[in-house]
Amino acid sequence: MATVITFLLYMAIVILMTEITSYAMNVRKKFTSNILIIAVIVISSAVVAFRGITGTDSAMYITLYEDGANSIFRWNQIENGFLLFMKLVRNLGGSYQLFFFLVSSLTTGFILMTIAHEKKIINVRIAAVIYFTDLYFNSFNIMRQSLAISICLYALIIFFDRKKITGILLILLAAQIHYSAYVCLLVILGDFLFNNRNTRTNILMMFTLFIGILFLISHRLLLGNIVQLVTGNQYYAGYITRDDYTGGSFLIYYLKIFPILSIPFLYLRYYKNHAYMNVLFVLMICGYIMSSLGAVLATQVGRIGMYFTTLSIVMLGFCCNNDIYIGNKIVVKKDIVSFCVYSFYILMFIINVFVSKYYEIVPYRPFTEFFL
């Protein structure tokens, strides 16, 4: 019974939050839009706040919050920015549920700010459903990194909107929540390579950057040493260098995400009018390569790849806002592409959460306690 009700709750969150976000981003009255956006943040964050322990990370955060400075559970490996926020909420007398609620509100808030910033050129419904079927439920456990990812996503988008200093400062802020956010400073290199160059040169630069990142990924010991040098933390270097076969398959992984990878390739012709999409495209592909390593090897490099796979919120949102052309002929209408992407993410969400139990969030803990 608890599992059935959990299914209904999670599906309600995914579908209703997606539809309300889509309506809020397109409604003309700003007041109505703001009220709906606040409602989305409050409702979705309330569900996260009371989820209890959903993995080792959430257990650690509860321990840290309740025991404070007396806790020695990875205390010295938690970033100062996150600890400062935790200490502030605790000193104000808030429970750990309030802290979870606030962190989730910030995470969803930054994602919605990203969607709002790009809403003129993306399909808002697709962008929202990607978030609420993926990163949102990831945040039930890895909420610290999820917050850093959401900040970095917004930072990358405004960086390409000529707000470079603000974007870099936000990445540095995110790094004080999770050191792995430093990887997003690659955007500076990407901007230098692609800015003010013609399409042919951009393609060459895309290929060069892609090969360079592949080299680092394939030489993970070197990449791990770089990470340790930048962060000064062996723990995060271990994200990359740890290596042990898990029994997974690269072939199965790429077949599973084939729709995500194939669709952006069909829209390469559109990127010339939005040059930063070239950089986002390359980074997203590299993110999925990192994630494939995490799926097959017992390495946390996939966690770093999440900073770039999350770019699919913007990339696929952009693709689903345009028809697919071959030559001058429309081959697939954007509505069909949108339906396929929407259905794919709903299906993968159901498989990952309720069949494979990937997120370890079934059943929803309050329901478990109620039905026991």
Side-chain angles (χ1 to χ4, degrees):
M1 179 62 73
T3 300
V4 173
I5 298 179
T6 298
F7 176 81
L8 295 176
L9 171 67
Y10 289 171
M11 290 304 297
I13 286 293
V14 169
I15 295 174
L16 290 178
M17 296 302 100
T18 295
E19 295 305 315
I20 294 173
T21 299
S22 178
Y23 179 79
M25 294 287 181
N26 292 289
V27 70
R28 292 184 178 181
K29 294 182 179 180
K30 189 173 181 179
F31 177 78
T32 302
S33 176
N34 291 338
I35 291 297
L36 291 174
I37 291 298
I38 292 173
V40 168
I41 293 174
V42 170
I43 294 171
S44 61
S45 298
V47 173
V48 177
F50 294 98
R51 90 279 197 172
I53 297 176
T54 54
T56 56
D57 283 31
S58 59
M60 173 186 65
Y61 299 138
I62 293 174
T63 301
L64 289 175
Y65 193 89
E66 293 184 338
D67 296 342
N70 295 322
S71 173
I72 59 172
F73 189 45
R74 277 188 57 188
W75 182 264
N76 63 336
Q77 294 176 336
I78 302 295
E79 291 77 358
N80 290 331
F82 189 81
L83 289 178
L84 179 63
F85 185 43
M86 179 183 288
K87 182 178 180 180
L88 175 63
V89 178
R90 186 174 61 241
N91 288 345
L92 291 175
S95 63
Y96 80 81
Q97 288 92 345
L98 175 62
F99 177 68
F100 281 8
F101 174 84
L102 294 175
V103 173
S104 181
S105 295
L106 289 172
T107 303
T108 300
F110 274 104
I111 294 295
L112 295 183
M113 286 168 63
T114 301
I115 295 174
H117 190 278
E118 297 293 287
K119 68 179 182 179
K120 291 183 179 180
I121 63 170
I122 69 173
N123 184 315
V124 173
R125 178 177 284 106
I126 295 301
V129 80
I130 292 174
Y131 168 64
F132 282 111
T133 54
D134 190 8
L135 183 64
Y136 170 74
F137 283 98
N138 256 315
S139 72
F140 275 45
N141 186 42
I142 57 169
M143 69 174 187
R144 181 165 51 103
Q145 187 178 5
S146 295
L147 175 56
I149 289 171
S150 68
I151 294 173
C152 285
L153 178 62
Y154 181 67
L156 292 176
I157 295 303
I158 66 171
F159 179 90
F160 288 110
D161 191 27
R162 300 177 183 179
K163 299 175 182 177
K164 300 185 185 303
I165 301 299
T166 304
I168 293 173
L169 289 176
L170 281 173
I171 292 174
L172 295 176
L173 173 63
Q176 301 313 304
I177 296 170
H178 205 280
Y179 283 139
S180 59
Y182 279 122
V183 71
C184 291
L185 291 176
L186 283 173
V187 70
I188 300 174
L189 174 61
D191 180 63
F192 172 77
L193 292 175
F194 292 99
N195 194 27
N196 297 323
R197 289 175 168 80
N198 59 44
T199 303
R200 187 168 297 179
T201 304
N202 274 342
I203 293 175
L204 177 61
M205 290 298 178
M206 284 172 61
F207 179 76
T208 303
L209 180 61
F210 184 70
I211 294 299
I213 295 177
L214 276 182
F215 174 81
L216 287 175
I217 294 173
S218 61
H219 294 75
R220 289 188 289 118
L221 181 59
L222 173 61
L223 183 57
N225 290 334
I226 294 174
V227 170
Q228 184 173 0
L229 179 65
V230 173
T231 65
N233 195 311
Q234 179 60 43
Y235 176 79
Y236 291 115
Y239 268 28
I240 297 170
T241 57
R242 188 170 67 237
D243 191 11
D244 184 26
Y245 183 62
T246 65
S249 167
F250 283 112
L251 177 60
I252 293 176
Y253 176 84
Y254 284 110
L255 285 175
K256 186 171 69 173
I257 65 170
F258 178 75
I260 302 174
L261 296 180
S262 61
I263 290 176
F265 276 101
L266 298 174
Y267 286 87
L268 288 174
R269 62 181 291 172
Y270 287 96
Y271 303 158
K272 64 182 180 181
N273 296 324
H274 305 276
Y276 68 95
M277 287 291 177
N278 291 313
V279 184
L280 300 187
F281 174 69
V282 171
L283 291 176
M284 185 188 76
I285 297 299
C286 290
Y288 279 110
I289 293 174
M290 289 180 174
S291 293
S292 69
L293 292 174
V296 177
L297 305 175
T299 171
Q300 294 296 313
V301 69
R303 291 271 294 266
I304 295 180
M306 287 176 63
Y307 286 95
F308 304 131
T309 58
T310 305
L311 291 170
S312 59
I313 291 175
V314 176
M315 287 299 305
L316 288 176
F318 175 81
C319 294
C320 291
N321 206 40
N322 296 279
D323 300 319
I324 296 178
Y325 280 83
I326 293 182
N328 295 320
K329 182 179 179 181
I330 297 178
V331 178
V332 183
K333 289 281 191 179
K334 61 184 179 182
D335 291 341
I336 297 177
V337 179
S338 299
F339 174 78
C340 291
V341 173
Y342 187 98
S343 301
F344 172 81
Y345 273 93
I346 293 292
L347 177 62
M348 292 309 299
F349 167 73
I350 294 173
I351 292 174
N352 288 335
V353 174
F354 293 96
V355 179
S356 301
K357 300 186 184 300
Y358 174 71
Y359 298 110
E360 300 180 10
I361 55 176
V362 176
Y364 186 57
R365 180 167 290 271
F367 295 159
T368 303
E369 296 172 351
F370 178 79
F371 287 103
L372 283 179

